[in-house]
């Protein structure tokens, strides 16, 4: 991978990490516990709120996993192993990394 491609990947990763942080901040209220006040919220409304809470928590877990993968990619950029497959050591195709910079395996190893 060329230095320009690596720099572009790093910018892409940092942009996505900022987006993830913004998404987490925007949905913090959706993940908050749902109160059991039957007087202010009806039973069905509370059930809807609990469903929204569960979906927001699931989205948060997915974003957290993506954040960890991207932080790992930044660490690999720093140590010079960004484009190396973790299984076979061959170079991961630049187009594959451009599509998903969090990839750690080449296409052959990913197919299994």
């Amino acid at each position: 991978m060329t230095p320009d491609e690596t720099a572009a990947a790093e910018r892409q990763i940092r942009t996505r990490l900022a987006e993830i942080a913004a998404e987490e901040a925007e949905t913090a209220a959706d993940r908050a516990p749902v109160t059991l006040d039957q007087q202010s919220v009806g039973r069905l409304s509370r059930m809807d709120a609990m469903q929204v809470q569960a979906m927001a928590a699931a989205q948060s877990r997915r974003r957290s996993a993506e954040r960890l993968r991207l932080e790992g990619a930044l660490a690999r950029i720093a140590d010079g192993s960004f484009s190396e497959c973790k299984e076979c050591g061959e170079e991961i195709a630049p187009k594959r990394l451009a599509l998903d910079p969090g990839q750690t395996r080449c296409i052959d190893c990913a197919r299994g």
Side-chain angles (χ1 to χ4, degrees):
M1 200 166 195
T2 68
D4 288 340
E5 289 171 327
T6 303
E10 184 173 0
R11 284 190 304 275
Q12 178 185 2
I13 291 167
R14 292 192 186 282
T15 299
R16 182 60 188 139
L17 286 172
E19 291 170 355
I20 290 170
E23 290 168 3
E24 282 293 298
E26 289 174 9
T27 61
D30 292 338
R31 294 186 311 273
V34 178
T35 60
L36 182 60
D37 185 6
Q38 292 283 335
Q39 301 303 321
S40 66
V41 178
R43 181 172 167 237
L44 292 177
S45 295
R46 183 170 183 275
M47 290 172 60
D48 287 341
M50 289 171 60
Q51 184 177 22
V52 167
Q53 177 195 31
M55 290 187 309
Q59 287 174 334
S60 180
R61 286 189 298 274
R62 284 191 295 274
R63 281 192 293 265
S64 180
E66 182 181 6
R67 181 181 48 79
L68 290 173
R69 286 182 342 100
L70 293 175
E71 287 172 351
L74 286 176
R76 289 190 304 280
I77 287 172
D79 72 14
S81 66
F82 174 64
S83 63
E84 294 174 11
C85 177
K86 292 296 178 188
E87 286 189 30
C88 69
E90 294 294 321
E91 182 177 10
I92 300 171
K95 287 183 180 181
R96 182 170 170 79
L97 288 172
L99 183 63
D100 182 3
Q103 289 293 326
T104 60
R105 298 184 297 169
C106 67
I107 193 71
D108 291 332
C109 292
R111 286 183 188 152

